[in-house]
Amino acid sequence: MICRNCNKQIARPLELYNGDWACPLCKKVLNVKSVDVTVTAENDETFKLSELCYLRALKHLGEKFGHTQYDTLLESAVEYCRIAARQGNPKALVRMGYYYEYGYLTADATESIRLAYEYYRAVWSSSPAVEYKSDDPDYADNCRKLRDIAANRYLDIIKRMPESHTGSGDLGYRDEKQKILAKGLSVTDDDMDDALGVDRISHVMGVLQSCFSSDRSPLFGIMRLSEGEFGTLRAVTDGGSKGAAKIVRFAKKITVVLFDVNDGSFKTIKTADNCNAVDGDRAYYLYFFNENGDHGISKRACAKIGKVLRKSDVFGEYARVKRLIEEMGRSVCISDYIFGEDDVLMYKSRFESYEHATDDLINSVINNVPKTGDRS
């Protein structure tokens, strides 16, 4: 991939909390359209692995709670798909749009719809280079079938996107439809694939479980829990003979803190007694910091970031976390902020400390300023 801003070749972009990509060199956000849509033997094999994991995951869809086979296989499916999409595989780009559109990936509703829109547009507006010789009908005639699918999903998003997601209620459906038809693509009214509803408790458990992954483990995050959801969460056991709460097992290796929605007080979860002392019928924000993860930054850097997040100011202890929570409370659609090391690296430079980079990240999220990587 080539960054259109600095014109440098990028082996892997920074992948940010909201699904955006950014150049690790100049720190500018990359549009999905920056990807050169191309089919190669390598990226097609990677996508096939993704689909195999996805189909196997569907066989475990009925499993309840904990980090199930469904969660594990779905994580693998998304990761393989992400790799293939970065390499420009059109099937992977369409599937990533599907994953965002139907809530498989952690992003708030507004960001998910925007990203799905961008992934679909990248495919239908492109002229794919089909280097991989095969009998696959999807690759025939300049990937015509795939581009038709992407175009129709793109238009479907425009048709049903609410005003709260667009700021105006009209994204120019007629104009976009004409652009698609001008490319010789077909517009149909076919129904979309069935959406997959992901259980909220399973989702939260899946995020916490991913802290122990050797690949792309999150660094810190905040997840909103509605009334009674923490009570359900702590009822999930680790499957051992003593039936200990799984959340407690997680809390032995990562920091887990509950912030009460009503009064802003917080409780650190470390033991079963801590867990049981929390009123499970109330609403909370669950904050975690992952000291355990296999991150690309040093343990010392992780410790510095964790220290910044715990610091006090006029908001009291965990001031920066509380500011993010306040931002979430003003939104009806944001239920999670999950950050990885790339989100901090987006703001880290040779002259910037990890502490300042973390502050810049949080200010960017709160103020919704362009993520340029420059300090003002």
Side-chain angles (χ1 to χ4, degrees), residues 114-125:
R114 179 185 65 79
L115 287 161
Y117 173 94
E118 293 293 343
Y119 274 104
Y120 295 149
R121 181 168 64 172
V123 176
W124 75 254
S125 63

Side-chain angles (χ1 to χ4, degrees), residues 33 117-118 120-122 124-125 147 150-159 161 170-187:
K33 290 203 300 183
Y117 173 94
E118 293 293 343
Y120 295 149
R121 181 168 64 172
W124 75 254
S125 63
R147 295 170 71 211
N152 282 281
R153 290 185 170 175
Y154 171 84
L155 289 175
D156 189 70
I157 282 177
I158 294 176
K159 278 193 293 186
M161 191 180 290
D170 181 8
L171 282 176
Y173 176 85
R174 291 176 182 272
D175 290 342
E176 295 303 291
K177 182 177 178 179
Q178 287 306 312
K179 290 177 187 177
I180 289 168
L181 292 173
K183 281 189 168 284
L185 301 176
S186 302
V187 175

Side-chain angles (χ1 to χ4, degrees), residues 67-359:
H67 195 72
T68 63
Q69 275 289 93
Y70 168 77
D71 299 311
T72 302
L73 288 164
L74 185 60
E75 285 174 10
S76 297
V78 171
E79 191 56 34
Y80 281 128
C81 192
R82 197 191 307 272
I83 293 168
R86 279 204 305 257
Q87 296 172 350
N89 183 277
K91 286 187 179 181
L93 288 164
V94 171
R95 178 61 85 183
M96 286 299 294
Y98 173 82
Y99 284 150
Y100 275 112
E101 183 178 2
Y102 289 122
Y104 285 70
L105 297 175
T106 303
D108 68 68
T110 303
E111 288 297 328
S112 293
I113 291 295
R114 179 185 65 79
L115 287 161
Y117 173 94
E118 293 293 343
Y119 274 104
Y120 295 149
R121 181 168 64 172
V123 176
W124 75 254
S125 63
S126 70
S127 296
V130 185
E131 302 173 14
Y132 183 41
K133 304 301 181 185
S134 77
D135 297 327
D136 191 330
D138 290 345
Y139 297 146
D141 190 19
N142 199 25
C143 295
R144 170 63 185 268
K145 181 179 177 181
L146 288 170
R147 295 170 71 211
D148 278 345
I149 291 170
N152 282 281
R153 290 185 170 175
Y154 171 84
L155 289 175
D156 189 70
I157 282 177
I158 294 176
K159 278 193 293 186
R160 53 192 174 80
M161 191 180 290
E163 283 191 32
S164 60
H165 287 27
T166 65
S168 66
D170 181 8
L171 282 176
Y173 176 85
R174 291 176 182 272
D175 290 342
E176 295 303 291
K177 182 177 178 179
Q178 287 306 312
K179 290 177 187 177
I180 289 168
L181 292 173
K183 281 189 168 284
L185 301 176
S186 302
V187 175
T188 68
D189 294 319
D190 290 344
D191 291 335
M192 306 297 291
D193 292 345
D194 290 336
L196 175 67
V198 179
D199 181 270
R200 180 66 181 167
I201 304 303
S202 293
H203 167 73
V204 173
M205 280 297 186
V207 171
L208 296 177
Q209 181 70 45
S210 69
C211 290
F212 302 88
S213 169
S214 60
D215 186 36
R216 294 178 54 80
S217 59
L219 183 57
F220 68 96
I222 304 167
M223 295 180 280
R224 183 155 41 186
L225 298 174
S226 300
E227 290 184 4
E229 286 185 337
F230 181 72
T232 305
L233 197 68
R234 72 181 174 196
V236 180
T237 64
D238 61 9
S241 58
K242 295 183 179 179
K246 200 167 185 178
I247 188 75
V248 175
R249 180 166 68 81
F250 290 148
K252 291 182 185 298
K253 294 190 176 182
I254 64 176
T255 298
V256 178
V257 182
L258 287 177
F259 291 83
D260 194 302
V261 167
N262 296 309
D263 59 17
S265 62
F266 65 91
K267 180 80 171 179
T268 302
I269 304 297
K270 288 184 178 295
T271 67
D273 287 343
N274 295 149
C275 191
N276 294 332
V278 175
D279 184 349
D281 291 331
R282 302 186 73 159
Y284 297 95
Y285 291 94
L286 187 153
Y287 162 77
F288 71 89
F289 186 82
N290 181 17
E291 300 93 336
N292 174 81
D294 185 9
H295 304 293
I297 57 178
S298 68
K299 289 190 178 296
R300 183 180 178 188
C302 284
K304 287 181 177 179
I305 294 167
K307 186 176 180 180
V308 168
L309 294 167
R310 287 194 305 272
K311 281 181 70 173
S312 301
D313 65 12
V314 293
F315 283 84
E317 194 175 354
Y318 285 107
R320 288 153 183 81
V321 175
K322 288 177 179 177
R323 289 176 67 206
L324 286 170
I325 287 173
E326 189 176 70
E327 173 68 16
M328 292 172 75
R330 286 196 290 263
S331 171
V332 296
C333 60
I334 298 175
S335 58
D336 299 295
Y337 280 133
I338 310 297
F339 302 98
E341 65 204 47
D342 283 0
D343 292 297
V344 179
L345 291 174
M346 175 68 176
Y347 298 93
K348 178 76 174 72
S349 70
R350 198 169 42 157
F351 309 105
E352 284 260 289
S353 67
Y354 279 101
E355 292 91 330
H356 281 151
T358 304
D359 265 338

